Amino acid sequence: MKYILILLFFACLSCSDKKTETEEIAVQTEPETIPITEITSLKKDSLMLDATGSNISADKVVITELKRTYDKDSIRTAFFAIDFFKNAKKVYSHPVRIDFGREEGAEWSINQEFMTDSKQASTDKRFVHCDNGIAACGYTHTQFLFFLGEDGIQLVSQWDSMWDSGYGVDSEFTPDFKTNPITSFVVKTVDVSPDETVKDTIDRLVVSYSDSTCYNFENGKWKKNQLSEKGKVYRTEKFTFDEYHKQ
């Protein structure tokens, strides 16, 4: 009987050892995985706002990078908060997520001089423009237009833009915010591309317009009304390169 018990004991030890070896081999041969890494950052960009002659609902805007993540392919995603303050008290916060891909070096700019074209900046200090992107041609910029009215803060418009050597896509605002206060305006997407129907494509442009939207100021808020079918080009024009960029 003792002999049988001894044999069973060593048999159990042998099975246990084989199981451990099998488990170790399984762990070693499992495909290598790279977890998503998260980096917390407290980088901030801020601007004291000019409220001269305007009864606006904030006197400072602060943009804080809350965190950023990188996946196994080094694709970067960053999370921000755009915060507005009045007398050192936070009155409004807008969360932002931007997928950058592998691009590094994007920066924020904040201003009350909203440039609706290359000649005229806004004189209505109730509008604050925030822009994120790399300060070079060929990179996408994410842009935000906020309104700081007496009744609170509103994100009026958000869009992406990109320009490279006179070609690109952007939002066009009309009229040019030359009056104060602004009571209505129209926004449309403008795409400037080479004209592929002619031989000299460098000097010839096709300008396409889409997503026309009208904004009217009603009861302290901006109300928008889609004027054209979303995502569909409703008009095209052709110019020489100099004709378009000297308008």
Side-chain angles (χ1 to χ4, degrees):
M1 182 67 177
K2 288 184 178 179
Y3 179 73
I4 293 173
L5 290 174
I6 290 171
L7 287 176
L8 289 173
F9 175 75
F10 281 106
C12 291
L13 285 178
S14 176
C15 290
S16 177
D17 290 341
K18 288 180 180 179
K19 182 179 180 182
T20 302
E21 290 175 2
T22 303
E23 288 176 347
E24 288 178 353
I25 292 172
V27 170
Q28 291 172 358
T29 57
E30 186 176 310
E32 183 180 0
T33 58
I34 303 175
I36 293 177
T37 59
E38 181 177 306
I39 300 173
T40 300
S41 173
L42 291 177
K43 182 179 178 182
K44 295 185 178 183
D45 297 271
S46 63
L47 177 71
M48 295 301 299
L49 302 176
D50 179 10
T52 305
S54 300
N55 187 14
I56 65 175
S57 52
D59 53 27
K60 184 180 181 180
V61 57
V62 178
I63 301 178
T64 305
E65 182 181 5
L66 303 175
K67 69 177 181 179
R68 66 179 72 169
T69 61
Y70 293 84
D71 69 10
K72 63 181 181 180
D73 297 317
S74 298
I75 302 300
R76 178 166 68 103
T77 299
F79 300 83
F80 303 89
I82 304 178
D83 297 323
F84 290 85
F85 294 82
K86 183 75 170 182
N87 299 325
K89 179 182 178 181
K90 187 187 296 186
V91 294
Y92 179 86
S93 183
H94 180 72
V96 173
R97 168 182 170 162
I98 301 178
D99 298 315
F100 289 98
R102 293 187 177 88
E103 297 175 358
E104 297 285 351
E107 299 177 343
W108 284 97
S109 66
I110 314 167
N111 64 78
Q112 284 178 284
E113 299 296 325
F114 179 48
M115 299 296 292
T116 56
D117 60 24
S118 59
K119 302 173 184 178
Q120 180 67 42
S122 170
T123 57
D124 192 333
K125 300 296 184 181
R126 299 175 300 169
F127 289 93
V128 173
H129 177 219
C130 302
D131 177 297
N132 181 274
I134 297 174
C137 291
Y139 291 97
T140 298
H141 283 235
T142 304
Q143 307 194 51
F144 307 83
L145 184 65
F146 293 92
F147 178 75
L148 283 58
E150 296 180 29
D151 298 328
I153 298 170
Q154 178 185 3
L155 174 62
V156 178
S157 185
Q158 176 180 338
W159 70 101
D160 290 335
S161 66
M162 189 282 292
W163 286 99
D164 189 0
S165 303
Y167 306 96
V169 62
D170 205 346
S171 283
E172 182 178 286
F173 292 74
T174 54
D176 293 327
F177 288 42
K178 295 176 182 178
T179 61
N180 184 7
I182 298 293
T183 57
S184 67
F185 59 90
V186 174
V187 183
K188 54 182 173 289
T189 300
V190 180
D191 188 311
V192 181
S193 306
D195 186 352
E196 302 292 347
T197 64
V198 296
K199 292 183 179 180
D200 188 8
T201 60
I202 296 178
D203 189 51
R204 307 293 300 186
L205 301 178
V206 174
V207 182
S208 303
Y209 302 91
S210 61
D211 294 323
S212 180
T213 306
C214 179
Y215 287 83
N216 292 298
F217 194 58
E218 300 174 6
N219 300 320
K221 293 288 185 181
W222 289 98
K223 308 292 184 182
K224 69 177 183 178
N225 179 34
Q226 195 79 22
L227 301 179
S228 67
E229 185 177 344
K230 193 169 181 62
K232 185 176 181 180
V233 174
Y234 64 87
R235 188 172 86 245
T236 59
E237 296 178 326
K238 294 189 177 184
F239 300 90
T240 66
F241 191 93
D242 289 342
E243 282 174 348
Y244 180 75
H245 288 289
K246 287 181 180 179
Q247 289 185 95

